[in-house]
Amino acid sequence: MELKIGECSISLLQGDITRVPADAIVNAANSELRGGGGVDGAIHQAGGPSLMMELNRIRPHGGCPTGSAVVTKAGALPAKYVIHAVGPVWRGGGYDEARLLSSAYAASLRLASEKKAAKVSFPSISTGAYGYPLDKAAPIALRAVYSFLRDAKSSVREVVFVLFDRQTYRAYEDALEALEGA
Ligand code: AR6
């Protein structure tokens, strides 16, 4: 499924993000940037130790704030860069989660553009270990990307959401249809 925005597009795929070639692959990291489970574990596993070595050199003092991102090279992954984005932990919705989630996507796209990336892949940030409800996160993710592609002058032409399981894919499919119809 695909949505066109001028010369740009947003598309959805079901699968493993470490297997999909892109210029920049976005990771759902934590503030400490020390790796973890889920997609973070898969990305470090497939990328190899050079990612963590670079993170150890660039890790901001006090970590990477929620809603922001840092970029490293991609090691053995089929990409030039990995953008390590930090989404919010879901705490019921009253703790600025929506703005922070949207900010994680926008910050990632700004970094991708700084690196002149044309194709960027995203996982569903925050909807695994961080517990963000899928039906709430999917429209926020898609709207954040849509607004960036519509409004920002950037190198990014193609955004692919690589969604691990059927349920996540379906939630993004519903949200993309709603965005298309809006
Ligand atoms: N490709 C694409 N998506 C994946 C993959 C993969 N290989 N593996 C898992 N997912 P999560 P979060 C999906 O938990 O909620 C880590 O420990 C997964 O099914 O990876 O942002 C970090 O270090 C789900 O749909 O990220 C942080 O501590 C989505 O990716 C914390 O988890 C996000 O799930 C971040 O939690």
Side-chain angles (χ1 to χ4, degrees), residues 15-18 28-30 35-40 42 123-131 162-165 168:
D16 176 350
I17 201 168
T18 66
N30 53 63
V39 71
D40 197 4
S124 176
I125 298 172
S126 284
T127 66
Y130 281 0
V162 185
L163 307 160
F164 206 44
D165 53 83
T168 306

Side-chain angles (χ1 to χ4, degrees), residues 168-179:
T168 306
Y169 182 86
R170 288 291 295 275
Y172 278 73
E173 199 173 43
D174 288 349
L176 192 59
E177 268 166 21
L179 189 62

Side-chain angles (χ1 to χ4, degrees), residues 133-152:
L134 255 181
D135 62 324
K136 292 188 168 61
I140 292 169
L142 289 168
R143 207 179 311 263
V145 171
Y146 176 84
S147 303
F148 182 90
L149 295 178
R150 186 194 53 196
D151 299 337

Side-chain angles (χ1 to χ4, degrees), residues 11-91:
S11 58
L12 310 180
L13 266 184
Q14 193 185 331
D16 176 350
I17 201 168
T18 66
R19 312 290 286 259
V20 178
D23 296 310
I25 294 175
V26 178
N27 181 17
N30 53 63
S31 292
E32 290 72 37
L33 302 173
R34 294 191 197 276
V39 71
D40 197 4
I43 282 176
H44 280 280
Q45 172 82 35
S50 64
L51 272 67
M52 191 53 75
M53 281 159 63
E54 190 173 346
L55 285 172
N56 288 339
R57 283 200 302 276
I58 66 169
R59 183 175 292 108
H61 207 69
C64 182
T66 302
S68 67
V70 301
V71 61
T72 65
K73 294 217 176 67
L77 285 160
K80 297 190 189 82
Y81 301 102
V82 173
I83 295 170
H84 306 262
V86 184
V89 175
W90 177 256
R91 294 200 286 152

Side-chain angles (χ1 to χ4, degrees), residues 8 69 76 87 91 167:
C8 306
R91 294 200 286 152
Q167 190 200 2

Side-chain angles (χ1 to χ4, degrees), residues 3-10 149-150 154 156-159:
L3 176 64
K4 288 266 181 208
I5 306 119
E7 294 174 354
C8 306
S9 67
I10 302 176
L149 295 178
R150 186 194 53 196
S154 102
V156 181
R157 291 288 170 270
E158 193 183 347
V159 171

